[in-house]
PDB file of all heavy atoms in Angstrom:
ATOM      1  N   ILE J 168     104.095-109.494  68.444  1.00 75.00           N
ATOM      2  CA  ILE J 168     102.907-108.722  68.835  1.00 75.00           C
ATOM      3  C   ILE J 168     101.877-109.609  69.480  1.00 75.00           C
ATOM      4  O   ILE J 168     101.262-109.261  70.492  1.00 75.00           O
ATOM      5  CB  ILE J 168     102.308-108.010  67.602  1.00 75.00           C
ATOM      6  CG1 ILE J 168     103.279-106.963  67.066  1.00 75.00           C
ATOM      7  CG2 ILE J 168     100.976-107.373  67.962  1.00 75.00           C
ATOM      8  CD1 ILE J 168     102.823-106.292  65.794  1.00 75.00           C
ATOM      9  N   LEU J 169     101.712-110.785  68.887  1.00 74.00           N
ATOM     10  CA  LEU J 169     100.764-111.726  69.442  1.00 74.00           C
ATOM     11  C   LEU J 169     101.154-112.070  70.871  1.00 74.00           C
ATOM     12  O   LEU J 169     100.349-112.012  71.800  1.00 74.00           O
ATOM     13  CB  LEU J 169     100.735-112.989  68.580  1.00 74.00           C
ATOM     14  CG  LEU J 169      99.926-114.171  69.147  1.00 74.00           C
ATOM     15  CD1 LEU J 169      98.456-113.828  69.212  1.00 74.00           C
ATOM     16  CD2 LEU J 169     100.138-115.424  68.319  1.00 74.00           C
ATOM     17  N   TRP J 170     102.403-112.438  71.052  1.00 76.00           N
ATOM     18  CA  TRP J 170     102.844-112.921  72.347  1.00 76.00           C
ATOM     19  C   TRP J 170     102.842-111.848  73.405  1.00 76.00           C
ATOM     20  O   TRP J 170     102.442-112.052  74.541  1.00 76.00           O
ATOM     21  CB  TRP J 170     104.238-113.534  72.168  1.00 76.00           C
ATOM     22  CG  TRP J 170     104.755-114.204  73.407  1.00 76.00           C
ATOM     23  CD1 TRP J 170     105.782-113.762  74.191  1.00 76.00           C
ATOM     24  CD2 TRP J 170     104.286-115.413  73.987  1.00 76.00           C
ATOM     25  NE1 TRP J 170     105.973-114.626  75.243  1.00 76.00           N
ATOM     26  CE2 TRP J 170     105.062-115.648  75.149  1.00 76.00           C
ATOM     27  CE3 TRP J 170     103.280-116.321  73.664  1.00 76.00           C
ATOM     28  CZ2 TRP J 170     104.866-116.753  75.960  1.00 76.00           C
ATOM     29  CZ3 TRP J 170     103.101-117.416  74.481  1.00 76.00           C
ATOM     30  CH2 TRP J 170     103.887-117.626  75.619  1.00 76.00           C
ATOM     31  N   ARG J 171     103.338-110.680  73.035  1.00 74.00           N
ATOM     32  CA  ARG J 171     103.539-109.649  74.051  1.00 74.00           C
ATOM     33  C   ARG J 171     102.338-108.719  74.242  1.00 74.00           C
ATOM     34  O   ARG J 171     102.212-108.091  75.272  1.00 74.00           O
ATOM     35  CB  ARG J 171     104.756-108.806  73.677  1.00 74.00           C
ATOM     36  CG  ARG J 171     106.021-109.550  73.927  1.00 74.00           C
ATOM     37  CD  ARG J 171     107.245-108.715  73.539  1.00 74.00           C
ATOM     38  NE  ARG J 171     108.447-109.518  73.616  1.00 74.00           N
ATOM     39  CZ  ARG J 171     109.043-109.870  74.753  1.00 74.00           C
ATOM     40  NH1 ARG J 171     108.554-109.444  75.906  1.00 74.00           N
ATOM     41  NH2 ARG J 171     110.106-110.630  74.736  1.00 74.00           N
ATOM     42  N   LEU J 172     101.530-108.605  73.250  1.00 77.00           N
ATOM     43  CA  LEU J 172     100.452-107.629  73.366  1.00 77.00           C
ATOM     44  C   LEU J 172      99.065-108.275  73.384  1.00 77.00           C
ATOM     45  O   LEU J 172      98.319-108.146  74.334  1.00 77.00           O
ATOM     46  CB  LEU J 172     100.536-106.636  72.189  1.00 77.00           C
ATOM     47  CG  LEU J 172      99.522-105.486  72.242  1.00 77.00           C
ATOM     48  CD1 LEU J 172      99.731-104.640  73.478  1.00 77.00           C
ATOM     49  CD2 LEU J 172      99.597-104.656  70.992  1.00 77.00           C
ATOM     50  N   ARG J 173      98.759-108.998  72.296  1.00 80.00           N
ATOM     51  CA  ARG J 173      97.406-109.502  72.151  1.00 80.00           C
ATOM     52  C   ARG J 173      97.045-110.566  73.174  1.00 80.00           C
ATOM     53  O   ARG J 173      95.964-110.558  73.751  1.00 80.00           O
ATOM     54  CB  ARG J 173      97.201-110.061  70.751  1.00 80.00           C
ATOM     55  CG  ARG J 173      97.216-109.012  69.680  1.00 80.00           C
ATOM     56  CD  ARG J 173      96.570-109.547  68.424  1.00 80.00           C
ATOM     57  NE  ARG J 173      96.945-108.808  67.252  1.00 80.00           N
ATOM     58  CZ  ARG J 173      96.325-107.722  66.849  1.00 80.00           C
ATOM     59  NH1 ARG J 173      95.316-107.251  67.549  1.00 80.00           N
ATOM     60  NH2 ARG J 173      96.701-107.100  65.765  1.00 80.00           N
ATOM     61  N   LEU J 174      97.966-111.508  73.349  1.00 81.00           N
ATOM     62  CA  LEU J 174      97.663-112.638  74.243  1.00 81.00           C
ATOM     63  C   LEU J 174      97.383-112.169  75.679  1.00 81.00           C
ATOM     64  O   LEU J 174      96.340-112.518  76.237  1.00 81.00           O
ATOM     65  CB  LEU J 174      98.817-113.646  74.213  1.00 81.00           C
ATOM     66  CG  LEU J 174      98.424-115.119  74.388  1.00 81.00           C
ATOM     67  CD1 LEU J 174      97.277-115.491  73.452  1.00 81.00           C
ATOM     68  CD2 LEU J 174      99.612-116.009  74.093  1.00 81.00           C
ATOM     69  N   PRO J 175      98.276-111.343  76.228  1.00 80.00           N
ATOM     70  CA  PRO J 175      97.973-110.833  77.583  1.00 80.00           C
ATOM     71  C   PRO J 175      96.668-110.043  77.619  1.00 80.00           C
ATOM     72  O   PRO J 175      95.892-110.185  78.562  1.00 80.00           O
ATOM     73  CB  PRO J 175      99.165-109.926  77.896  1.00 80.00           C
ATOM     74  CG  PRO J 175     100.251-110.400  77.020  1.00 80.00           C
ATOM     75  CD  PRO J 175      99.609-110.905  75.782  1.00 80.00           C
ATOM     76  N   ALA J 176      96.421-109.251  76.556  1.00 80.00           N
ATOM     77  CA  ALA J 176      95.203-108.447  76.556  1.00 80.00           C
ATOM     78  C   ALA J 176      93.960-109.335  76.455  1.00 80.00           C
ATOM     79  O   ALA J 176      92.893-108.984  76.918  1.00 80.00           O
ATOM     80  CB  ALA J 176      95.240-107.455  75.392  1.00 80.00           C
ATOM     81  N   ALA J 177      94.145-110.498  75.815  1.00 83.00           N
ATOM     82  CA  ALA J 177      92.995-111.383  75.601  1.00 83.00           C
ATOM     83  C   ALA J 177      92.737-112.288  76.764  1.00 83.00           C
ATOM     84  O   ALA J 177      91.705-112.961  76.805  1.00 83.00           O
ATOM     85  CB  ALA J 177      93.224-112.207  74.342  1.00 83.00           C
ATOM     86  N   MET J 178      93.677-112.328  77.730  1.00 83.00           N
ATOM     87  CA  MET J 178      93.518-113.295  78.828  1.00 83.00           C
ATOM     88  C   MET J 178      92.175-113.251  79.539  1.00 83.00           C
ATOM     89  O   MET J 178      91.582-114.305  79.745  1.00 83.00           O
ATOM     90  CB  MET J 178      94.675-113.126  79.845  1.00 83.00           C
ATOM     91  CG  MET J 178      95.958-113.802  79.413  1.00 83.00           C
ATOM     92  SD  MET J 178      95.747-115.503  78.902  1.00 83.00           S
ATOM     93  CE  MET J 178      95.927-116.332  80.469  1.00 83.00           C
ATOM     94  N   PRO J 179      91.671-112.089  79.916  1.00 80.00           N
ATOM     95  CA  PRO J 179      90.369-112.083  80.609  1.00 80.00           C
ATOM     96  C   PRO J 179      89.290-112.780  79.788  1.00 80.00           C
ATOM     97  O   PRO J 179      88.514-113.592  80.300  1.00 80.00           O
ATOM     98  CB  PRO J 179      90.051-110.588  80.769  1.00 80.00           C
ATOM     99  CG  PRO J 179      91.344-109.896  80.658  1.00 80.00           C
ATOM    100  CD  PRO J 179      92.216-110.715  79.783  1.00 80.00           C
ATOM    101  N   SER J 180      89.296-112.452  78.487  1.00 80.00           N
ATOM    102  CA  SER J 180      88.303-113.064  77.619  1.00 80.00           C
ATOM    103  C   SER J 180      88.507-114.571  77.521  1.00 80.00           C
ATOM    104  O   SER J 180      87.555-115.354  77.565  1.00 80.00           O
ATOM    105  CB  SER J 180      88.401-112.412  76.244  1.00 80.00           C
ATOM    106  OG  SER J 180      87.322-112.779  75.469  1.00 80.00           O
ATOM    107  N   ILE J 181      89.764-114.961  77.388  1.00 85.00           N
ATOM    108  CA  ILE J 181      90.074-116.393  77.273  1.00 85.00           C
ATOM    109  C   ILE J 181      89.640-117.127  78.531  1.00 85.00           C
ATOM    110  O   ILE J 181      89.087-118.225  78.463  1.00 85.00           O
ATOM    111  CB  ILE J 181      91.579-116.616  76.997  1.00 85.00           C
ATOM    112  CG1 ILE J 181      91.934-116.087  75.604  1.00 85.00           C
ATOM    113  CG2 ILE J 181      91.932-118.084  77.097  1.00 85.00           C
ATOM    114  CD1 ILE J 181      93.415-116.148  75.292  1.00 85.00           C
ATOM    115  N   ILE J 182      89.903-116.516  79.675  1.00 83.00           N
ATOM    116  CA  ILE J 182      89.515-117.158  80.931  1.00 83.00           C
ATOM    117  C   ILE J 182      87.999-117.342  80.984  1.00 83.00           C
ATOM    118  O   ILE J 182      87.511-118.387  81.440  1.00 83.00           O
ATOM    119  CB  ILE J 182      90.001-116.363  82.142  1.00 83.00           C
ATOM    120  CG1 ILE J 182      91.529-116.309  82.161  1.00 83.00           C
ATOM    121  CG2 ILE J 182      89.475-116.976  83.430  1.00 83.00           C
ATOM    122  CD1 ILE J 182      92.206-117.545  82.675  1.00 83.00           C
ATOM    123  N   THR J 183      87.272-116.344  80.529  1.00 77.00           N
ATOM    124  CA  THR J 183      85.809-116.503  80.483  1.00 77.00           C
ATOM    125  C   THR J 183      85.452-117.708  79.613  1.00 77.00           C
ATOM    126  O   THR J 183      84.613-118.521  79.975  1.00 77.00           O
ATOM    127  CB  THR J 183      85.137-115.259  79.895  1.00 77.00           C
ATOM    128  OG1 THR J 183      85.604-114.117  80.582  1.00 77.00           O
ATOM    129  CG2 THR J 183      83.630-115.350  80.000  1.00 77.00           C
ATOM    130  N   GLY J 184      86.131-117.783  78.456  1.00 80.00           N
ATOM    131  CA  GLY J 184      85.890-118.919  77.567  1.00 80.00           C
ATOM    132  C   GLY J 184      86.205-120.234  78.240  1.00 80.00           C
ATOM    133  O   GLY J 184      85.481-121.216  78.121  1.00 80.00           O
ATOM    134  N   LEU J 185      87.286-120.272  78.983  1.00 84.00           N
ATOM    135  CA  LEU J 185      87.675-121.486  79.701  1.00 84.00           C
ATOM    136  C   LEU J 185      86.644-121.865  80.750  1.00 84.00           C
ATOM    137  O   LEU J 185      86.299-123.034  80.894  1.00 84.00           O
ATOM    138  CB  LEU J 185      89.042-121.295  80.388  1.00 84.00           C
ATOM    139  CG  LEU J 185      90.264-121.293  79.469  1.00 84.00           C
ATOM    140  CD1 LEU J 185      91.517-120.943  80.250  1.00 84.00           C
ATOM    141  CD2 LEU J 185      90.438-122.641  78.827  1.00 84.00           C
ATOM    142  N   ARG J 186      86.135-120.863  81.447  1.00 77.00           N
ATOM    143  CA  ARG J 186      85.128-121.128  82.474  1.00 77.00           C
ATOM    144  C   ARG J 186      83.920-121.812  81.873  1.00 77.00           C
ATOM    145  O   ARG J 186      83.406-122.803  82.392  1.00 77.00           O
ATOM    146  CB  ARG J 186      84.660-119.810  83.079  1.00 77.00           C
ATOM    147  CG  ARG J 186      85.457-119.331  84.238  1.00 77.00           C
ATOM    148  CD  ARG J 186      84.911-117.974  84.682  1.00 77.00           C
ATOM    149  NE  ARG J 186      85.288-117.682  86.029  1.00 77.00           N
ATOM    150  CZ  ARG J 186      84.987-116.557  86.656  1.00 77.00           C
ATOM    151  NH1 ARG J 186      84.300-115.645  86.050  1.00 77.00           N
ATOM    152  NH2 ARG J 186      85.365-116.360  87.902  1.00 77.00           N
ATOM    153  N   ILE J 187      83.459-121.235  80.769  1.00 73.00           N
ATOM    154  CA  ILE J 187      82.265-121.790  80.117  1.00 73.00           C
ATOM    155  C   ILE J 187      82.581-123.155  79.503  1.00 73.00           C
ATOM    156  O   ILE J 187      81.776-124.070  79.543  1.00 73.00           O
ATOM    157  CB  ILE J 187      81.738-120.792  79.078  1.00 73.00           C
ATOM    158  CG1 ILE J 187      81.274-119.531  79.798  1.00 73.00           C
ATOM    159  CG2 ILE J 187      80.608-121.403  78.279  1.00 73.00           C
ATOM    160  CD1 ILE J 187      80.914-118.388  78.884  1.00 73.00           C
ATOM    161  N   GLY J 188      83.793-123.249  78.942  1.00 78.00           N
ATOM    162  CA  GLY J 188      84.206-124.512  78.352  1.00 78.00           C
ATOM    163  C   GLY J 188      84.213-125.649  79.339  1.00 78.00           C
ATOM    164  O   GLY J 188      83.849-126.776  79.029  1.00 78.00           O
ATOM    165  N   LEU J 189      84.616-125.358  80.564  1.00 78.00           N
ATOM    166  CA  LEU J 189      84.682-126.390  81.585  1.00 78.00           C
ATOM    167  C   LEU J 189      83.297-126.972  81.852  1.00 78.00           C
ATOM    168  O   LEU J 189      83.124-128.197  81.927  1.00 78.00           O
ATOM    169  CB  LEU J 189      85.253-125.807  82.884  1.00 78.00           C
ATOM    170  CG  LEU J 189      85.504-126.812  84.015  1.00 78.00           C
ATOM    171  CD1 LEU J 189      86.530-127.836  83.583  1.00 78.00           C
ATOM    172  CD2 LEU J 189      85.982-126.095  85.257  1.00 78.00           C
ATOM    173  N   ALA J 190      82.312-126.093  81.974  1.00 72.00           N
ATOM    174  CA  ALA J 190      80.964-126.569  82.230  1.00 72.00           C
ATOM    175  C   ALA J 190      80.476-127.427  81.062  1.00 72.00           C
ATOM    176  O   ALA J 190      79.872-128.473  81.242  1.00 72.00           O
ATOM    177  CB  ALA J 190      80.030-125.387  82.452  1.00 72.00           C
ATOM    178  N   ARG J 191      80.734-126.943  79.855  1.00 73.00           N
ATOM    179  CA  ARG J 191      80.264-127.678  78.673  1.00 73.00           C
ATOM    180  C   ARG J 191      80.920-129.042  78.556  1.00 73.00           C
ATOM    181  O   ARG J 191      80.261-130.014  78.159  1.00 73.00           O
ATOM    182  CB  ARG J 191      80.568-126.886  77.405  1.00 73.00           C
ATOM    183  CG  ARG J 191      79.650-125.717  77.173  1.00 73.00           C
ATOM    184  CD  ARG J 191      80.011-124.991  75.931  1.00 73.00           C
ATOM    185  NE  ARG J 191      79.408-125.625  74.771  1.00 73.00           N
ATOM    186  CZ  ARG J 191      79.564-125.189  73.536  1.00 73.00           C
ATOM    187  NH1 ARG J 191      80.318-124.141  73.299  1.00 73.00           N
ATOM    188  NH2 ARG J 191      78.988-125.800  72.528  1.00 73.00           N
ATOM    189  N   SER J 192      82.196-129.128  78.907  1.00 79.00           N
ATOM    190  CA  SER J 192      82.875-130.408  78.721  1.00 79.00           C
ATOM    191  C   SER J 192      82.345-131.437  79.690  1.00 79.00           C
ATOM    192  O   SER J 192      82.189-132.607  79.323  1.00 79.00           O
ATOM    193  CB  SER J 192      84.390-130.253  78.854  1.00 79.00           C
ATOM    194  OG  SER J 192      84.774-130.124  80.199  1.00 79.00           O
ATOM    195  N   THR J 193      81.998-131.028  80.900  1.00 78.00           N
ATOM    196  CA  THR J 193      81.464-131.982  81.859  1.00 78.00           C
ATOM    197  C   THR J 193      80.136-132.546  81.383  1.00 78.00           C
ATOM    198  O   THR J 193      79.884-133.753  81.437  1.00 78.00           O
ATOM    199  CB  THR J 193      81.243-131.328  83.234  1.00 78.00           C
ATOM    200  OG1 THR J 193      82.286-130.407  83.490  1.00 78.00           O
ATOM    201  CG2 THR J 193      81.206-132.364  84.322  1.00 78.00           C
ATOM    202  N   ILE J 194      79.288-131.656  80.887  1.00 76.00           N
ATOM    203  CA  ILE J 194      77.980-132.101  80.396  1.00 76.00           C
ATOM    204  C   ILE J 194      78.152-133.055  79.228  1.00 76.00           C
ATOM    205  O   ILE J 194      77.524-134.119  79.170  1.00 76.00           O
ATOM    206  CB  ILE J 194      77.134-130.886  79.969  1.00 76.00           C
ATOM    207  CG1 ILE J 194      76.733-130.089  81.187  1.00 76.00           C
ATOM    208  CG2 ILE J 194      75.911-131.330  79.194  1.00 76.00           C
ATOM    209  CD1 ILE J 194      75.990-128.829  80.877  1.00 76.00           C
ATOM    210  N   ALA J 195      79.037-132.684  78.288  1.00 80.00           N
ATOM    211  CA  ALA J 195      79.249-133.519  77.100  1.00 80.00           C
ATOM    212  C   ALA J 195      79.737-134.900  77.500  1.00 80.00           C
ATOM    213  O   ALA J 195      79.278-135.899  76.954  1.00 80.00           O
ATOM    214  CB  ALA J 195      80.258-132.831  76.176  1.00 80.00           C
ATOM    215  N   VAL J 196      80.653-134.947  78.453  1.00 88.00           N
ATOM    216  CA  VAL J 196      81.192-136.238  78.895  1.00 88.00           C
ATOM    217  C   VAL J 196      80.101-137.119  79.500  1.00 88.00           C
ATOM    218  O   VAL J 196      79.986-138.303  79.185  1.00 88.00           O
ATOM    219  CB  VAL J 196      82.332-136.039  79.921  1.00 88.00           C
ATOM    220  CG1 VAL J 196      82.654-137.321  80.645  1.00 88.00           C
ATOM    221  CG2 VAL J 196      83.571-135.530  79.222  1.00 88.00           C
TER     222      VAL J 196
END
Side-chain angles (χ1 to χ4, degrees):
Chain J
I168 294 175
L169 171 66
W170 185 250
R171 286 179 187 285
L172 185 62
R173 292 199 199 274
L174 213 49
M178 280 310 272
S180 191
I181 292 175
I182 297 282
T183 308
L185 286 174
R186 271 177 160 178
I187 295 171
L189 185 62
R191 284 179 85 180
S192 76
T193 323
I194 291 176
V196 165

